[in-house]
Amino acid sequence: MARLHHFWNSGNSYKIRLLLSELGRPYDSAALDRANRAQKEAAYLAVNPRGQVPAWEEASGRVLTESAAILSYLAHGTALVPKDPWLQAQMLSWLFYEQQHLCNQGVGMAHYWTFVTGQGETKKAEVEAAREKARTELAYLERHLQGREWFVGDSFTVADVAIYGYTHRAPVAGIALEPYPNVMAWMKRVAARPRHIRFEDKPA
Ligand SMILES: N[C@@H](CCC(=O)N[C@@H](CS)C(=O)NCC(=O)O)C(=O)O
């Protein structure tokens, strides 16, 4: 069976867990101990030499890294990837955007310092800058969602999975969502899907 190498407290990892749940696809969950830097130990570097999660390892031994690529690959051929080339390119556009503006800066970084490392107090300036960036991007998402239910076309796609991963963690990172009602309504739609799992949900 294929295996997902991940951290329970990572948004990038959660995006893959959420998609796998949406697809109803079984997998082996290999959670790494982030506190003890298991991602930098030889056993894991043999899986991903960059020492990062998530990584998707198939029974054949081949490994795919980078959450956006893993999402695209796992959802290939399903209703979560638009068949129309223009809509598919729009979906990819949001996946690239997510990595640059929601994961590596803004809400992703605010989440990292406040929730993952607990450095909210010692890194005050950095955390506030990340929150400000997050608000700029939330305003952008808010405008895009005006009159739309989903990010691309008229159905739930991998773009929604990718953007939801960190965006819904904004309150945990000290960023209020009330000024963004379209974003809040979209999050409710995502969370209401029958196979949705929450960030903190772990398989029984
Ligand atoms: N662009 C990569 C980012 C991967 C990444 O930054 N992973 C973090 C967890 S969210 C990690 O493994 N950090 C541990 C480290 O860098 O040592 C992706 O989307 O998969």
Side-chain angles (χ1 to χ4, degrees):
M1 189 183 290
R3 173 173 297 175
L4 176 66
H5 300 268
H6 66 107
F7 293 150
W8 289 119
N9 60 7
S10 132
N12 283 321
S13 298
Y14 168 67
K15 290 184 294 192
I16 313 299
R17 294 194 291 116
L18 175 56
L19 175 69
L20 288 163
S21 179
E22 283 281 348
L23 297 176
R25 181 163 171 176
Y27 64 100
D28 179 21
S29 159
L32 294 173
D33 181 356
R34 187 179 208 163
N36 286 315
R37 295 180 58 76
Q39 76 274 18
K40 303 298 186 208
E41 285 177 9
Y44 184 68
L45 292 176
V47 175
N48 179 6
R50 280 189 56 71
Q52 291 196 320
V53 296
W56 179 252
E57 183 180 7
E58 302 203 320
S60 65
R62 66 182 187 178
V63 174
L64 183 62
T65 59
E66 292 295 331
S67 60
I70 300 170
L71 291 177
S72 300
Y73 171 68
L74 292 177
H76 180 79
T78 76
L80 273 62
V81 174
K83 302 239 175 325
D84 175 78
W86 178 255
L87 293 180
Q88 198 175 110
Q90 292 295 318
M91 180 203 84
L92 287 173
S93 174
W94 283 110
L95 295 194
F96 289 121
Y97 163 85
E98 186 272 340
Q99 286 286 283
Q100 171 77 4
H101 298 287
L102 306 181
C103 165
N104 294 335
Q105 311 177 58
V107 63
M109 286 314 296
H111 183 261
Y112 178 70
W113 281 317
T114 56
F115 178 75
V116 178
T117 69
Q119 288 173 296
E121 286 305 308
T122 51
K123 284 193 174 280
K124 273 192 172 142
E126 291 92 334
V127 171
E128 204 32 61
R131 286 177 178 150
E132 204 42 49
K133 167 69 177 168
R135 290 182 197 108
T136 301
E137 298 310 325
L138 280 162
Y140 175 62
L141 302 181
E142 177 71 10
R143 286 195 300 278
H144 180 75
L145 286 170
Q146 183 63 43
R148 288 188 171 94
E149 290 211 347
W150 306 108
F151 271 87
V152 175
D154 55 9
S155 64
F156 179 82
T157 69
V158 158
D160 298 287
V161 175
I163 295 168
Y164 188 83
Y166 279 106
T167 305
H168 88 292
R169 300 291 289 171
V172 176
I175 303 150
L177 285 173
E178 283 69 21
Y180 316 101
N182 294 333
V183 173
M184 287 178 73
W186 163 77
M187 280 181 192
K188 274 194 182 154
R189 284 191 286 278
V190 175
R193 289 178 58 81
R195 287 181 168 161
H196 184 78
I197 54 163
R198 295 169 306 164
F199 188 91
E200 55 275 18
D201 287 342
K202 297 185 178 174

